[in-house]
Amino acid sequence: MPGGYHVAPLEALIDKLESLPSIGHKSAQRLAYYILNMSPQEAQSLADCILNAHNKIHYCSQCCNLTDGELCPVCRDEGRDSGLLCVVEEPKDVFALERGGDFPGRYHVLHGAISPLSGVGPDQLKIKELLARITPEVQEVIMATNPTVEGEATAMYIARLLKPLGVRVTRLAYGVPVGGDIEYADNVTLQRALAGRQEL
């Protein structure tokens, strides 16, 4: 803070909030002052929610999505089509696709995309776990990585690994804008992208 006015706990809170994605200094200040105006019970409840989520949420043992149980809700759902597998980069992409309510299959979350410039190679992603899930029951794998350079490279890399296994590999159609993220696509765009997927 400028001048001689310093409140160390407030500055620490602003710094911590500013370290979050998409939160600039002004937004961090607003959030910090909002938190300070909470009652002690509300502030404690917020802190408890953060710790509870951090301590209880982990990867689904099957699809690597986020869950607080052994399996995520999609993997627990016996009504889902086990022959249709949709591969996404991040857990938030599963949420986006589920929001549309049109996908009947299951998911696999890679937790990133291949990006040599960022030091992310295939071994840093959940690709081995994906390959372990390819059984004769799996008829089609939809590559729903983001339409970015990294997403395309990841889709092509995984397609080359899957083709010899005899599984059909498709790619989301470009209803999702190039350079955009699945997370921000509207429902109609996602429906068209799923319906218009293409062979890789």
Side-chain angles (χ1 to χ4, degrees):
M1 290 184 182
Y5 183 74
H6 296 283
V7 181
L10 177 57
E11 290 182 40
L13 178 58
I14 292 170
D15 287 345
K16 190 57 69 177
L17 291 169
E18 194 175 352
S19 71
L20 297 173
S22 303
I23 302 292
H25 186 71
K26 291 288 187 185
S27 295
Q29 280 183 321
R30 281 193 295 272
L31 287 169
Y33 283 113
Y34 180 84
I35 290 169
L36 289 179
N37 284 323
M38 288 178 165
S39 69
Q41 294 80 12
E42 289 174 322
Q44 185 63 56
S45 177
L46 175 60
D48 289 345
C49 283
I50 293 171
L51 285 172
N52 193 43
H54 196 273
N55 292 333
K56 291 188 176 179
I57 295 175
H58 53 268
Y59 294 164
C60 171
S61 62
Q62 187 165 305
C63 73
C64 303
N65 195 8
L66 299 178
T67 182
D68 61 347
E70 175 67 19
L71 296 174
C72 73
V74 173
C75 289
R76 285 197 304 265
D77 184 353
E78 295 181 1
R80 304 295 287 234
D81 183 356
S82 298
L84 190 58
L85 197 58
C86 184
V87 179
V88 298
E89 290 181 24
E90 301 291 349
K92 61 189 176 184
D93 300 329
V94 173
F95 180 80
L97 288 163
E98 283 296 288
R99 190 180 62 219
D102 293 316
F103 182 64
R106 299 184 182 277
Y107 297 95
H108 188 83
V109 182
L110 297 172
H111 291 277
I114 296 171
S115 178
L117 293 177
S118 301
V120 179
D123 291 342
Q124 279 78 54
L125 306 179
K126 301 294 183 183
I127 294 176
K128 290 177 185 174
E129 291 83 351
L130 170 62
L131 296 176
R133 296 182 66 190
I134 305 303
T135 64
E137 185 182 15
V138 177
Q139 300 297 309
E140 179 182 356
V141 174
I142 303 170
M143 294 306 306
T145 52
N146 289 319
T148 59
V149 172
E150 294 81 7
E152 290 294 331
T154 304
M156 295 306 297
Y157 178 84
I158 292 174
R160 285 198 298 271
L161 295 177
L162 294 178
K163 287 283 188 173
L165 303 179
V167 63
R168 181 179 182 223
V169 183
T170 58
R171 181 83 169 107
L172 279 189
Y174 284 106
V176 179
V178 175
D181 289 339
I182 287 175
E183 177 189 14
Y184 301 113
D186 62 274
N187 291 348
V188 173
T189 298
L190 287 171
Q191 288 165 6
R192 288 178 179 171
L194 280 168
R197 62 186 184 271
Q198 300 171 348
E199 193 90 24
L200 280 178

